[in-house]
Amino acid sequence: STVDNSLGLRVNLQTVNSDNSYSLLDEVYASYGAAYSDEVDNIDAIKLENTEENLAIVNKHQKLMVERRSKINEGDIIYLTTWNLAQRTYLLEFNPVNLPSKELTATLVDKYLNTSTPISTRAISQAYFTITSDAASASPERFMVVFSSGNSQQVLTSKKTIITAYPNPITDGVIKLQISNGKKGIYHAELVNS
């Protein structure tokens, strides 16, 4: 079968040097196409470990350098893993390749800081992060990229529940909330127009 890398998201890990220059350490690529499977198969590239810092995509506990997935959908998540990181500042750089930017948004979720940062689906985006003496700052499962429709906004709560609000911006004074990974119960939500 033919492999088509014309649609996807390239993510690289860089270190920020003391002279404020950057050094590329590792890179992964999530490629999307109707002919691909969401299961790990022979057209995905298994991650070979570096001796120093590493970045990989995780699918079903398998570390991948290149993951080929079926058509991209709202709610798709790229689970990133890192290891062998040192106490220093790093940069994750996101390079979208022909993503449907009008219909799709992407968010970097940092589970250590409990933050959600928008990633451009049209141009290169960068996110800095620091590994400190707190072991949790180097958690291999710290980062994930969540895709949503172009008119919604996702927020990660402290309990790893993802709340999607749409449409964004609000039209006709109506907003809808979708809660993923949350337990049944009563929720209190406060929306702020920023």
Side-chain angles (χ1 to χ4, degrees):
S1 72
T2 304
V3 174
D4 179 10
N5 288 321
S6 62
L7 182 114
L9 183 65
R10 190 174 305 282
V11 183
N12 67 55
L13 174 67
Q14 299 178 35
T15 186
V16 180
N17 301 314
S18 58
D19 63 357
N20 289 326
S21 64
Y22 302 93
S23 297
L24 179 64
L25 301 171
D26 211 348
E27 185 172 72
V28 296
Y29 186 59
S31 178
Y32 295 88
Y36 302 149
S37 166
D38 288 341
E39 302 300 318
V40 177
D41 58 25
N42 63 354
I43 60 171
D44 296 307
I46 303 299
K47 168 67 178 162
L48 300 176
E49 292 193 26
N50 301 321
T51 56
E52 295 181 352
E53 292 98 331
N54 286 267
L55 172 67
I57 297 171
V58 177
N59 184 347
K60 301 204 183 345
H61 306 290
Q62 181 68 58
K63 293 177 183 171
L64 304 170
M65 183 175 71
V66 177
E67 180 182 26
R68 293 186 174 84
R69 297 181 178 192
S70 62
K71 187 175 183 274
I72 193 167
N73 293 303
E74 177 168 0
D76 280 353
I77 299 174
I78 300 172
Y79 294 96
L80 299 173
T81 187
T82 56
W83 65 100
N84 293 343
L85 301 182
Q87 290 184 22
R88 63 186 317 169
T89 300
Y90 292 94
L91 170 71
L92 285 173
E93 185 173 85
F94 302 90
N95 186 356
V97 179
N98 300 319
L99 289 177
S101 58
K102 290 183 181 175
E103 301 87 34
L104 194 67
T105 62
T107 303
L108 174 66
V109 175
D110 182 333
K111 294 185 250 180
Y112 171 68
L113 295 177
N114 289 320
T115 58
S116 299
T117 305
I119 300 169
S120 175
T121 54
R122 295 183 277 287
I124 292 174
S125 299
Q126 297 177 326
Y128 291 86
F129 68 99
T130 301
I131 303 301
T132 66
S133 59
D134 181 355
S137 71
S139 170
E141 292 82 30
R142 180 173 173 175
F143 297 107
M144 64 182 178
V145 176
V146 180
F147 291 99
S148 58
S149 66
N151 62 352
S152 66
Q153 179 64 44
Q154 295 189 337
V155 177
L156 177 74
T157 68
S158 59
K159 301 204 183 329
K160 299 182 184 175
T161 300
I162 298 174
I163 301 173
T164 304
Y166 59 96
N168 188 9
I170 297 173
T171 56
D172 300 327
V174 176
I175 189 164
K176 297 178 183 177
L177 298 177
Q178 175 184 353
I179 300 173
S180 305
N181 300 328
K183 294 182 180 181
K184 288 185 178 181
I186 298 172
Y187 288 82
H188 172 78
E190 183 175 335
L191 301 176
V192 179
N193 187 9
S194 57

